[in-house]
Amino acid sequence: RRTFEKWYDASTVPPHWADAVLGAPPQLAAPLACDFAPGARLLAVDAPKTAKGGDTITVTWTWHANAAIAPGWKVFAHLDGPTYVNADHVPARPFELWKPGQDIRYPTEITLPRVPGRYVLKAGMWNGKNAPVTCKAVPVEANAVTVATIEVTP
C-alpha cells in the first residue's frame, strides 16, 4: 500500500486495492480451484459457518489470475436460503488489472438477513451473463459454484 501511496493521494486508493496482490502463493485450508472461462481461478472463499441474523460478516476471496481478463467482469455472490441476499461486487482490485500469475485476496462484507436458517453462498463471474466454470471441489450449477454454507441464528 505504501508504494501506491507514493504515487497517489492515499485517500484516492480504494480500500484493499494495494493490499490485494499477494507476494507469495497463499496457504489454503480448503482449496476450491474453480476455473472461470475469462481466465480467473477461484482458490478459496473464507466465511463464518454460523452468524447471528442482522450481523455483517466478512467474506474473504482468494483468486489466481490464469490469464489477462477483459474489463467489465464482476463477481456475483448470492446468499440463498429462507430469503435472498445479493452480494455482487467488483474485486477490490478489478479483474482487468490482474496480471497472469498473480494471486489476489480481498475481503467483502455481507449483511445477513434476520430470518434464521441455512444459507448457501453461490458465486461466479458475470458480465451480462455467467462465465462458464469448471470445478471438481464443489458443486457447479448454472455456472455458479457453492463456496460456503452459513447457519444464520436468531
Side-chain angles (χ1 to χ4, degrees):
R1 180 169 183 91
R2 289 184 186 178
T3 301
F4 288 101
E5 288 173 351
K6 289 179 188 175
W7 300 328
Y8 302 99
D9 175 357
S11 67
T12 65
V13 178
H16 308 291
W17 191 82
D19 303 329
V21 178
L22 302 177
Q27 298 295 316
L28 305 170
L32 297 174
C34 299
D35 289 308
F36 291 89
R41 172 177 280 185
L42 182 57
L43 297 175
V45 176
D46 296 314
K49 296 198 182 305
T50 62
K52 185 178 174 187
D55 283 357
T56 298
I57 61 168
T58 298
V59 177
T60 302
W61 304 81
T62 306
W63 295 81
H64 177 80
N66 290 332
I69 301 170
W73 288 97
K74 68 167 124 178
V75 176
F76 69 82
H78 301 162
L79 194 59
D80 293 321
T83 61
Y84 171 83
V85 175
N86 182 331
D88 293 0
H89 63 275
V90 173
R93 185 177 184 87
F95 285 116
E96 61 266 23
L97 299 179
W98 297 8
K99 306 279 188 251
Q102 286 182 327
D103 293 306
I104 310 291
R105 178 178 287 151
Y106 62 91
T108 59
E109 292 185 340
I110 299 174
T111 300
L112 297 173
R114 295 194 181 278
V115 178
R118 180 174 296 261
Y119 289 80
V120 176
L121 181 59
K122 296 179 181 180
M125 290 179 66
W126 183 84
N127 72 346
K129 62 180 181 171
N130 293 358
V133 60
T134 58
C135 191
K136 294 180 182 174
V138 295
V140 175
E141 182 181 338
N143 289 321
V145 294
T146 300
V147 296
T149 301
I150 303 166
E151 189 67 35
V152 174
T153 61

